[in-house]
Structure formats: structure tokens, C-alpha cells
Amino acid sequence: MILYITVTAVTALLAGMVNCRPVTQPYRTTRQQTCNRICLFAVFLLLFALSACRLNVGNDYAKYVEFMHLVNCDAYVPTEIGFNLLVKLVYGLSGFENYLLVFAVYAFATVGIFLLAMYEQSEDFPLTFFLFMALGYYFQTFSTVRYYFALALALYSMKFVLRRQWGRFLVLILLGSTFHKSLLVVIPLYLLATLPWKKWQLAVGALFCTTFLFCQDLYLKLVVLLYPTYEDTEYLEGGTSYINILRCTAVMLFAAIAYLEKKRRGTEEIEEEDVAAEHFYFYLNLGALVLYVFCSFLPIISRIGYYLTVSHILYLPMLLGQIRDAKWRRVFRVGMLSAAILYFMIYMSRAGNDGILILPYKTFLFHDMVNILSDVN
């Protein structure tokens, strides 16, 4: 745990020196731009090394090693074609079952895409990065590596949604779905979040949400069509997260405060791009709250919800920037950081439990891999 806390603290300090809106000069690299590059590279290197050097760290690390072995043996696996082709390529080039390199490739891509998405889209990179670490997004990449690679792509794709570059958005999502097909769900969800919703449409949407209470069997059948391996397993038991419900509710309240602050300012002009982003993030948060409240019976609710709530790390700094009073902005910032630190402490206290298993940290430099199922059999 000390290692994780140290890495979080060091990378957060480095991120604090990054200005994602540096002043540029023609034909000249400014001091701030140089500082950004050095700090971002150092952050990337630390996060990549910690992830790439791990061994049997993460809830399903051994299961992934088993999947890779089966892929190499041309046996059936429930993983997507992108993952399978990557394993074939790495194993073929290595000449042996080099699962460490596969995990390293995932770490490189996932960390890199997350950092790029945050740097390009955040209005306050230091705060966004701190939320990314404290809310556990980075440490969760140690488990379900395919899904968190897809989540990084989902976050990066938001800029194409806001720019209405639908072709690039669809290509990125379709490619990403070859590594985790759940990514396809962001196509309709992100599109819905961009629509100019009217009050009567929201009322109809609320009425539709009641069908989740009375037609659960129908929706579960649809889930089985998407995930046939879930049929007749414990994965269909569902479940929701009260912490995520509380988090979405808190974000909604903060959005209401920021909205009232804008109304009070009245005639102050706000850039059209910021209005579109705020609208998009608001409806993503609202959609996540609806899913967590009404769709707790769905086994994939956490995965769908994370595609929506990952926008919090961009939305919260944007809302904070709308609080013009310096005193209240400091109060809200301290409250936000305190809540994130509390979440981080709770997360780390459970880091060794089943379902997370990122503690104790082990590395291939000093430890050996345990036997996988194929070795036992």
C-alpha cells in the first residue's frame, strides 16, 4: 500500500506542474510546454512501469494468463478478436508464451490514452489527474485489462462527440470493441447525451425507466444475447453501488450550484464549446444515476455505468471553474479533494479483497507466477 500511496503522491505532484492550456509562441517552445512534456513523460513512465512490472496482481491476472495460453493453443476463449490477435502476435514474435509483454502492451496503451484524453480535454489537468488516481481508475487497470483499455478509448472518444466528428468516433469505438464488445454501448448512450432534451421528453424517458422495474426478465434475455457466457451463472445476479449513486447525486447537486451561479452572473458570455461539453457531461451523469437506481438487476451495470461516470474527472473541474468567487471555489475544491481522498482510503483498505486483489504488489523481478488452470490439469 505504501508503494501505491507514494506513486499517487509523486505523480499528483508532477501533474500539478502541468498546464494543459499553455501560452504558445510561433516557432518557439515555451518553458511551460517543456515543463508539460517532462512532467507528463515522468507520470507516464511511473504509471506504466508500475503496471507493466506487476505479476499476478489484479483480480483476474491468472485468468488472463489462462486465456492467453488457450488462444495460443487455438482453443475456445470468450475474449474478442482484437485481444486474441494481439496475443498471437506477441507470442509469435517472442517465440514463447510471453504474457508479461502482453500486459505491458496493455499498460502502455491504456495509461497513454488516459493521459492524452485528460490533457487534451480537461480544463484543470492537475485536478483531473488527481481524481483519476484517487477514484481508483488507474489501479483498476490492473484488473479487467481489456475493459479498462476500452474505458480509456471511451474517455478519449468524448472529444469527437463534442466536435460532432461522428466518423472518427464510430471508427474508434468499433476498433475498441474488438478488444471489449461492451464498448459498443457508448454509441447510443453518448448520442443520447448530446440531444437537446426537452422537459416532456425527459418525462417520457422517466416513464420508460419504469419498464426496468417490470420487465427485468426481458432485459436479462437481451444481456444474455450480448454475453452468452453469462447464461445460468452467478453473473446474472446483478447488483448496484450505493457509493456510485451517492457520487452521481453529489455531482448533480454541484451542477445545480454551478447553474445557479451562472444565472446570477447573467449576461456573461460562455463559449459554445463549453456549453456543449457541460450539457454532454450532465446527461452522462444523469444517465448513470438512472442506471444505478433502476437497473441494479443487470449484471453489466457497473461496466455501463463506468462508461458514463468516467466523465466526472472532466466534468467536476469544469463545474469548479464556473464558481467565480475565489473563496467559495477554494471551499468546493477542498471538499472535492477531501471526498476523493476519503474514497481513495476506502478503496485501498479493500485493495486486498476478492474482486480487487491489487495487494500485495508483486513483480516478476522478485516473484514467480503461480500455476494456472491448464498447468494444474
Side-chain angles (χ1 to χ4, degrees), residues 233-286:
T233 68
E234 69 277 7
Y235 293 114
L236 288 182
E237 294 177 0
T240 192
S241 170
Y242 294 108
I243 291 180
N244 282 325
I245 292 175
L246 179 62
R247 183 169 130 193
C248 291
T249 302
V251 171
M252 195 71 68
L253 291 174
F254 189 39
I257 293 172
Y259 174 75
L260 293 175
E261 171 70 7
K262 282 195 302 183
K263 286 195 66 175
R264 186 185 63 81
R265 296 200 305 268
T267 58
E268 183 176 338
E269 293 186 0
I270 302 175
E271 293 185 13
E272 184 177 346
E273 184 177 344
D274 291 338
V275 173
E278 185 180 353
H279 175 99
F280 178 60
Y281 298 146
F282 173 82
Y283 281 106
L284 288 182
N285 183 69
L286 178 61

Side-chain angles (χ1 to χ4, degrees), residues 179-361:
F179 290 87
H180 205 287
K181 58 189 173 186
S182 69
L183 184 60
L184 292 172
V185 77
V186 307
I187 296 176
L189 291 179
Y190 285 9
L191 176 61
L192 288 172
T194 64
L195 297 179
W197 290 91
K198 302 182 183 301
K199 292 181 180 179
W200 69 267
Q201 293 172 325
L202 291 173
V204 172
L207 184 62
F208 172 75
C209 288
T210 62
T211 64
F212 293 116
L213 301 176
F214 305 108
C215 305
Q216 294 184 4
D217 291 340
L218 173 62
Y219 289 114
L220 285 174
K221 289 179 180 178
L222 294 176
V223 170
V224 171
L225 288 177
L226 183 62
Y227 289 94
T229 56
Y230 281 7
E231 190 170 10
D232 299 324
T233 68
E234 69 277 7
Y235 293 114
L236 288 182
E237 294 177 0
T240 192
S241 170
Y242 294 108
I243 291 180
N244 282 325
I245 292 175
L246 179 62
R247 183 169 130 193
C248 291
T249 302
V251 171
M252 195 71 68
L253 291 174
F254 189 39
I257 293 172
Y259 174 75
L260 293 175
E261 171 70 7
K262 282 195 302 183
K263 286 195 66 175
R264 186 185 63 81
R265 296 200 305 268
T267 58
E268 183 176 338
E269 293 186 0
I270 302 175
E271 293 185 13
E272 184 177 346
E273 184 177 344
D274 291 338
V275 173
E278 185 180 353
H279 175 99
F280 178 60
Y281 298 146
F282 173 82
Y283 281 106
L284 288 182
N285 183 69
L286 178 61
L289 183 59
V290 168
L291 287 175
Y292 285 126
V293 172
F294 290 97
C295 304
S296 60
F297 64 94
L298 292 176
I300 56 174
I301 186 62
S302 61
R303 290 180 178 178
I304 298 175
Y306 266 47
Y307 284 132
L308 305 178
T309 59
V310 71
S311 63
H312 287 173
I313 64 177
L314 302 175
Y315 190 29
L316 288 172
M318 171 180 282
L319 292 176
L320 187 64
Q322 294 176 3
I323 308 298
R324 291 292 184 259
D325 186 275
K327 178 182 177 181
W328 281 108
R329 190 165 60 249
R330 283 195 298 270
V331 169
F332 284 120
R333 178 181 285 271
V334 169
M336 197 180 299
L337 294 176
S338 299
I341 291 172
L342 177 61
Y343 186 97
F344 182 71
M345 292 170 60
I346 295 173
Y347 179 80
M348 281 298 160
S349 69
R350 303 173 178 175
N353 296 353
D354 289 339
I356 304 179
L357 288 178
I358 62 171
L359 283 176
Y361 183 80

Side-chain angles (χ1 to χ4, degrees), residues 4 51-65 99-100 103 142-143 356-364 367-372:
Y4 292 158
S51 181
C53 292
R54 77 189 192 280
L55 180 71
N56 201 25
V57 176
N59 184 56
D60 50 7
Y61 191 100
K63 182 185 294 184
Y64 268 107
V65 175
Y99 55 85
L100 291 172
F103 282 115
F142 291 3
S143 303
I356 304 179
L357 288 178
I358 62 171
L359 283 176
Y361 183 80
K362 299 177 183 178
T363 171
F364 67 85
H367 301 87
D368 295 321
M369 182 61 189
V370 299
N371 290 332
I372 59 175

Side-chain angles (χ1 to χ4, degrees), residues 76-227:
Y76 169 77
V77 287
T79 50
E80 290 80 4
I81 188 173
F83 173 82
N84 299 344
L85 289 176
L86 176 63
V87 171
K88 286 276 191 181
L89 177 64
V90 172
Y91 280 17
L93 292 175
S94 300
F96 65 101
E97 295 193 356
N98 192 353
Y99 55 85
L100 291 172
L101 183 55
V102 176
F103 282 115
V105 170
Y106 265 101
F108 184 93
T110 304
V111 172
I113 294 171
F114 265 125
L115 286 176
L116 184 62
M118 290 186 286
Y119 181 75
E120 290 185 351
Q121 299 179 62
S122 176
E123 294 188 0
D124 185 346
F125 178 81
L127 179 56
T128 291
F129 179 80
F130 182 79
L131 294 174
F132 169 71
M133 296 297 292
L135 296 179
Y137 287 111
Y138 167 69
F139 295 104
Q140 280 296 102
T141 64
F142 291 3
S143 303
T144 55
V145 293
R146 290 162 38 248
Y147 171 75
Y148 275 87
F149 171 65
L151 187 66
L153 291 176
L155 184 68
Y156 187 77
S157 74
M158 290 180 185
K159 75 172 187 178
F160 297 132
V161 174
L162 294 173
R163 296 173 183 174
R164 298 298 193 270
Q165 296 175 332
W166 299 112
R168 295 183 180 185
F169 169 69
L170 288 174
V171 169
L172 181 63
I173 298 305
L174 291 175
L175 288 175
S177 68
T178 64
F179 290 87
H180 205 287
K181 58 189 173 186
S182 69
L183 184 60
L184 292 172
V185 77
V186 307
I187 296 176
L189 291 179
Y190 285 9
L191 176 61
L192 288 172
T194 64
L195 297 179
W197 290 91
K198 302 182 183 301
K199 292 181 180 179
W200 69 267
Q201 293 172 325
L202 291 173
V204 172
L207 184 62
F208 172 75
C209 288
T210 62
T211 64
F212 293 116
L213 301 176
F214 305 108
C215 305
Q216 294 184 4
D217 291 340
L218 173 62
Y219 289 114
L220 285 174
K221 289 179 180 178
L222 294 176
V223 170
V224 171
L225 288 177
L226 183 62
Y227 289 94

